[in-house]
């Protein structure tokens, strides 16, 4: 559990670093990664074994037994997109158009807020 928590904090830090460097798509990808790792820490705390092999934040949140409202679940679903679009070239191109500084700033603020709620 400690490993996953440390990894989550590191990924969130890297997201901020990438944002400051102007790498907005990569910052969003690492924002997703931070939430994913945090949820996996919660799952490990429950099952005392390796977490589910998935990148789906909504699915992971249910296994982590975290009570989230509809708005939070919608946010996790939106953040899920950054995992896929951050990995594959064709999706990455479309995300580059969307991921302006203003957009990424707003999304990272939302990611940090839900990170704190989950933690």
């Amino acid at each position: 559990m400690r490993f996953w928590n440390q990894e989550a904090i590191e990924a969130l830090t890297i997201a901020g670093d990438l944002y400051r460097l102007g790498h907005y798509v990569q910052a969003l990808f690492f924002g997703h990664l931070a939430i994913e790792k945090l949820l996996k820490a919660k799952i490990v705390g429950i099952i005392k074994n390796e977490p589910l092999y998935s990148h789906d934040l909504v699915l992971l949140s249910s296994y982590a037994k975290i009570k989230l409202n509809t708005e939070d679940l919608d946010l996790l679903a939106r953040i899920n997109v950054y995992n896929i679009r951050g990995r594959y070239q064709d999706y990455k191109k479309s995300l580059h158009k969307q991921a302006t500084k203003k957009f990424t700033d707003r999304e990272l603020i939302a990611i940090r807020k839900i990170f704190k709620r989950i933690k």
Side-chain angles (χ1 to χ4, degrees):
M1 188 167 113
R2 177 179 282 156
F3 165 79
W4 288 103
N5 274 319
Q6 289 172 335
E7 288 283 310
I9 292 166
E10 183 177 324
L12 193 60
T13 300
I14 292 169
D17 292 344
L18 288 166
Y19 171 78
R20 282 185 289 284
L21 291 170
H23 300 289
Y24 303 132
V25 172
Q26 294 83 357
L28 293 170
F29 174 80
F30 270 86
H32 173 280
L33 198 58
I35 301 297
E36 178 185 330
K37 290 179 178 198
L38 187 59
L39 290 169
K40 288 182 176 183
K42 298 292 184 189
I43 294 168
V44 169
I46 294 167
I47 66 173
K48 309 295 185 218
N49 204 343
E50 287 299 309
L52 178 69
Y53 181 75
S54 176
H55 304 295
D56 185 331
L57 302 181
V58 176
L59 178 65
L60 291 171
S61 70
S62 69
Y63 278 92
K65 300 188 187 305
I66 297 171
K67 293 183 182 185
L68 297 172
N69 60 36
T70 304
E71 185 180 314
D72 290 335
L73 291 171
D74 289 347
L75 174 60
L76 291 181
R78 191 170 79 228
I79 296 168
N80 270 338
V81 173
Y82 307 140
N83 176 50
I84 300 299
R85 289 190 178 171
R87 287 181 190 261
Y88 301 104
Q89 275 313 98
D90 52 340
Y91 288 115
K92 197 184 267 192
K93 287 179 185 175
S94 68
L95 187 55
H96 271 287
K97 293 177 186 172
Q98 184 181 14
T100 63
K101 184 177 197 274
K102 184 177 179 180
F103 175 87
T104 305
D105 184 51
R106 187 174 60 244
E107 290 298 282
L108 287 178
I109 288 169
I111 288 169
R112 286 186 192 102
K113 283 182 183 176
I114 197 158
F115 188 95
K116 287 179 183 176
R117 277 200 298 278
I118 293 170
K119 195 167 184 192

